[in-house]
Amino acid sequence: MRHDFNIVVFDLETGGLSADKNPVVEIAICPISKQLEDLPEYTSLIKPYGNLVIQPQALEANGLTMKEINGGQTVEKVCSEVIKVLKSLKVGKNLPILCGHNIRKFDNPFLKNMFEFCGEDLFKYVDSEQFLDTLEMTRMVWDERPNYKLGTCTSHINQDLVQAHRALPDTRANKELVKHLLKGMRGELIVTGK
């Protein structure tokens, strides 16, 4: 029996470093199939919501302005659209698997809280037990890296990261990174350091 699934490569830009105090301000999803085929992308800016605070340092890091963020969609609309994307990625009974760079400690709690703010449970729509975290994967595969930041990891596979710290460019670059890593795990290429 074939176990088929899709992978939700995603990234968030946030209003700070605390999933409890700061909102998601941008989301991008660049899903791929188990066979590593690209599937339709989704991205949106998100207007401020709740009593969550957008810190100036966060805007400096991601290059967004409050005008851009205020021009985004409501969190409820984005959550509804993301749910449609996640439902479309279900294969039979198999929910899609979340994938990102440092998602276990950073992005997943933000996404979970955003869903909860909208009265939704993220884990109704994605596999709650499996994640692909490219930060963890690269640490296991590549020795002696100067660091394991996304840009460092993507340059290791000759993938340029342009407009770092914006959700869609980061997600597209990470999608290529996870494809590279999975091909290595499948024996389709030899994963070595530079």
Side-chain angles (χ1 to χ4, degrees), residues 79 83 112 115-116 118-126 128:
C79 190
I83 287 170
K112 181 177 177 287
F115 267 63
E116 287 175 1
C118 296
E120 290 287 351
D121 177 4
L122 172 63
F123 297 113
K124 271 179 56 179
Y125 307 102
V126 297
S128 64

Side-chain angles (χ1 to χ4, degrees), residues 121-189:
D121 177 4
L122 172 63
F123 297 113
K124 271 179 56 179
Y125 307 102
V126 297
D127 192 313
S128 64
E129 296 178 10
Q130 295 184 70
F131 304 102
L132 292 173
D133 192 319
T134 55
L135 175 64
E136 295 172 2
M137 293 169 76
T138 54
R139 283 180 173 161
M140 286 189 284
V141 174
W142 297 327
D143 293 334
E144 299 179 25
R145 296 287 94 203
N147 61 58
Y148 292 90
K149 293 177 183 175
L150 180 58
T152 304
C153 293
T154 57
S155 70
H156 182 78
I157 63 165
N158 299 316
Q159 175 72 36
D160 291 331
L161 177 54
V162 181
Q163 290 184 300
H165 303 294
R166 285 298 304 272
L168 188 57
D170 283 1
T171 306
R172 285 176 173 161
N174 198 36
K175 174 181 71 171
E176 297 308 316
L177 177 61
V178 77
K179 284 180 181 181
H180 181 88
L181 292 167
L182 290 174
K183 285 178 183 177
M185 290 171 67
R186 295 172 181 181
E188 296 172 25
L189 58 82

Side-chain angles (χ1 to χ4, degrees), residues 4 12-13 21 24 40 46 51 62 74 80 97 105 120 123 127 138 143 150 154 157 165 172 177:
D4 216 356
L12 306 174
E13 296 305 324
K21 297 176 185 174
V24 175
I46 304 168
N51 295 321
N62 59 39
T74 66
S80 173
I97 296 170
K105 292 183 180 177
E120 290 287 351
F123 297 113
D127 192 313
T138 54
D143 293 334
L150 180 58
T154 57
I157 63 165
H165 303 294
R172 285 176 173 161
L177 177 61

